[in-house]
Amino acid sequence: SRSQVVALQAGLGLRISDRLSVGAAILGLAGLGGEIFVSSDAAGRFTSRSEQEMIARYSPILGAQYKMPEYNLDFGLVFRAESDATFSVRVDNDLINELPLTIPPLNIGGVAQYDPLTLAVESAWRPMPTLQLSAQVGYYRWSEFEPPTVNPVPGMPAPESPDFSDTIIPRVSAEWRALDKGAQLDVRTGYSFVMSPAPEMDGQQSLLDNNRHVLALGLGMAWPDKLPFSFDIWFQAHQLMSRTHTKDPSKFDDDQMMPFDSIDTGGRVFVGGLVMGVDL
């Protein structure tokens, strides 16, 4: 009931000068393609043969950082190309002699993961040596997102477009070094408003989504003079803004059943984690 994704990322950074650094990376996502063939043996028992292969899809990531130490300012720019992991498995059969009806070939396909083209600009300012303030604005080209699944039978009408919109997402954060004597303790916090690219789901699609406020907290511990280890604990709280989706009967044929008349979405999502690093 849930898709799985295999991803691999490799990158390289280069410091051109004391002020300018650039980097490039490649993100590889594995897609799935193949066929499942169902038939019967001499005893009339159903058998199946499966042939599947992983297909890699690559997307570039480019970034640059420019430092202005005389003003305690840093600037960053990141470009990430569109990336997706698709799956397409054809299910065919040779059961015409075992079943009273003909089963057409089925195509189980869609998108397991999709990341839109992204462009982000960020700046960081240090008003004092122990405090850093950061702000970022990101552009996400969700308008290129296509239906996440395909029709299993070719004769079915084409699925309705999700009609997603491009979004702009602002983020702000602060990091304070509370302790810097033998051990280092960093306290972090951040906020972002994540705008949903999905419109009201009044048609055949039901991709429910909400605008949300995101509050983040974190702690980082390190012992640079004694131990090569560092630990970071982080927590996020997502507050989904309430939203109502009402289906429009005029967008459905007479023989189509609406999945719902009206539905409200909202709620809270909590996420946390622990990261351990080793300095080699």
Side-chain angles (χ1 to χ4, degrees):
S1 61
R2 181 176 179 180
S3 60
Q4 303 292 327
V5 174
V6 177
L8 177 65
Q9 183 171 314
L12 177 66
L14 177 63
R15 181 178 296 173
I16 297 178
S17 67
D18 292 339
R19 292 178 178 265
L20 180 62
S21 300
V22 296
I26 289 291
L27 172 65
L29 289 176
L32 180 67
E35 181 182 35
I36 299 176
F37 187 79
V38 182
S39 60
S40 62
D41 59 16
R45 295 172 299 187
F46 289 170
T47 63
S48 63
R49 184 184 73 250
S50 176
E51 297 180 359
Q52 300 181 25
E53 62 178 350
M54 299 182 69
I55 305 171
R57 301 168 68 95
Y58 299 98
S59 300
I61 303 172
L62 305 174
Q65 180 188 45
Y66 187 77
K67 296 183 176 182
M68 301 178 66
E70 64 272 22
Y71 300 109
N72 295 324
L73 285 172
D74 293 344
F75 297 94
L77 177 67
V78 173
F79 168 81
R80 177 174 178 167
E82 177 188 63
S83 63
D84 60 4
T86 61
F87 59 95
S88 179
V89 179
R90 179 182 173 87
V91 183
D92 209 343
N93 70 89
D94 184 14
L95 302 174
I96 189 170
N97 296 323
E98 283 72 26
L99 297 178
L101 49 84
T102 301
I103 300 178
L106 304 177
N107 184 26
I108 303 173
V111 179
Q113 176 173 319
Y114 178 84
D115 293 308
L117 181 147
T118 302
L119 181 64
V121 180
E122 183 171 338
S123 63
W125 176 49
R126 291 174 295 279
M128 59 183 68
T130 59
L131 179 63
Q132 176 173 288
L133 306 176
S134 302
Q136 183 195 97
V137 176
Y139 165 76
Y140 298 80
R141 196 174 68 179
W142 280 105
S143 57
E144 297 296 318
F145 181 63
E146 297 181 353
T149 58
V150 300
N151 289 328
V153 180
M156 296 176 62
E160 185 182 61
S161 172
D163 198 23
F164 278 14
S165 301
D166 297 343
T167 61
I168 301 292
I169 298 179
R171 295 181 173 92
V172 293
S173 65
E175 180 181 78
W176 174 51
R177 178 149 294 176
L179 181 64
D180 196 10
K181 294 181 179 180
Q184 291 181 352
L185 175 63
D186 295 321
V187 181
R188 307 181 181 105
T189 185
Y191 167 81
S192 66
F193 177 73
V194 181
M195 181 184 300
S196 171
E200 179 184 348
M201 291 291 129
D202 60 352
Q204 298 176 14
Q205 294 282 4
S206 294
L207 304 174
L208 307 180
D209 195 23
N210 300 66
N211 298 330
R212 51 197 163 99
H213 301 278
V214 182
L215 178 64
L217 300 173
L219 289 175
M221 283 289 296
W223 299 265
D225 299 329
K226 298 181 180 180
L227 298 173
F229 303 105
S230 62
F231 297 89
D232 293 278
I233 302 173
W234 58 272
F235 172 80
Q236 288 183 348
H238 298 240
Q239 175 65 51
L240 279 64
M241 301 177 64
S242 298
R243 192 175 190 184
T244 300
H245 300 268
T246 303
K247 292 298 184 181
D248 183 358
S250 65
K251 295 186 177 182
F252 293 82
D253 295 334
D254 294 338
D255 58 347
Q256 289 181 308
M257 179 181 296
M258 295 190 301
F260 55 84
D261 294 326
S262 181
I263 190 172
D264 296 327
T265 59
R268 298 180 179 89
V269 178
F270 301 102
V271 186
L274 172 64
V275 180
M276 184 182 73
V278 179
D279 296 328
L280 301 178

